[in-house]
C-alpha cells in the first residue's frame, strides 16, 4: 500500500509519506471509518487518538482529537492538505468500494466522518 498526499503550493505531485496524523472531530467515528471501510487494523489506542495500519506496521494513519472534540476541519480557503491517496490492489479497491457502499471503479474518492478526503486508487 502506498500513500500520497496533495498539499497545494508546497509539495508537488508524486510526494509520498510513510504515515499521516489527521485531526478528526469524533475519534470513534473516524476509527470505525478507517478500520471498517478502508480496512486498516487498530494498532494502538489512547483516549484521544487511534493509530491504524495495514500489515501490522505501527501506523500508516493516526486520527486524533488533540485540537478538541467537535472542532471542525480546516476551511476550504485555508492552506492545507486537500486529499491523500492510498494505492491498493484492484481487489482491495473493490472491497473498499463494497464496504463504503459505492460503485467500484479504478479510483474512489471518499471522505471520513470529519471531511478528510481519501482517494483510493488501484495499482
Amino acid at each position: 500500500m502506498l500513500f500520497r498526499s496533495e498539499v497545494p503550493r508546497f509539495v508537488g505531485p508524486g510526494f509520498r509519506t510513510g504515515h499521516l496524523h489527521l485531526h478528526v472531530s469524533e475519534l470513534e467515528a473516524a476509527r470505525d471509518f478507517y478500520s471498517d471501510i478502508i480496512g486498516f487494523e487498530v494498532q494502538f489506542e489512547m483516549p484521544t487518538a487511534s493509530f491504524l495500519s495495514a500489515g501490522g506496521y505501527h501506523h500508516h494513519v493516526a486520527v486524533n482529537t488533540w485540537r478538541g472534540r467537535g472542532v471542525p476541519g480546516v476551511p476550504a480557503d485555508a492552506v492545507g492538505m486537500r486529499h491523500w491517496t492510498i494505492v491498493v490492489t484492484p481487489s482491495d479497491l473493490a472491497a473498499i468500494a463494497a464496504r463504503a457502499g459505492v460503485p467500484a471503479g479504478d479510483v474512489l474518492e471518499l471522505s471520513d466522518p470529519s471531511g478528510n478526503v481519501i482517494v483510493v486508487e488501484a495499482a
Side-chain angles (χ1 to χ4, degrees):
M1 189 176 291
L2 299 173
F3 299 90
R4 293 194 303 263
S5 59
E6 298 297 330
V7 182
R9 298 181 287 210
F10 296 108
V11 179
F15 174 75
R16 293 183 179 186
T17 185
H19 67 266
L20 296 173
H21 288 239
L22 302 171
H23 167 71
V24 296
S25 59
E26 295 299 329
L27 184 62
E28 295 79 9
R31 180 204 57 224
D32 293 349
F33 172 83
Y34 287 103
S35 62
D36 298 346
I37 303 295
I38 301 301
F40 287 136
E41 299 165 340
V42 175
Q43 300 300 321
F44 179 75
E45 288 191 283
M46 50 195 287
T48 58
S50 291
F51 299 81
L52 304 101
S53 75
Y57 186 65
H58 63 87
H59 70 283
H60 287 112
V61 64
V63 293
N64 68 68
T65 56
W66 296 339
R67 289 179 45 221
R69 284 190 173 271
V71 174
V74 178
D77 62 346
V79 173
M81 184 177 68
R82 299 296 174 242
H83 72 270
W84 60 287
T85 303
I86 304 170
V87 180
V88 299
T89 65
S91 61
D92 285 339
L93 184 102
I96 292 168
R99 290 190 299 265
V102 299
D106 292 333
V107 176
L108 301 174
E109 185 173 299
L110 304 171
S111 293
D112 73 16
S114 294
N116 296 301
V117 178
I118 304 96
V119 174
V120 184
E121 64 183 52

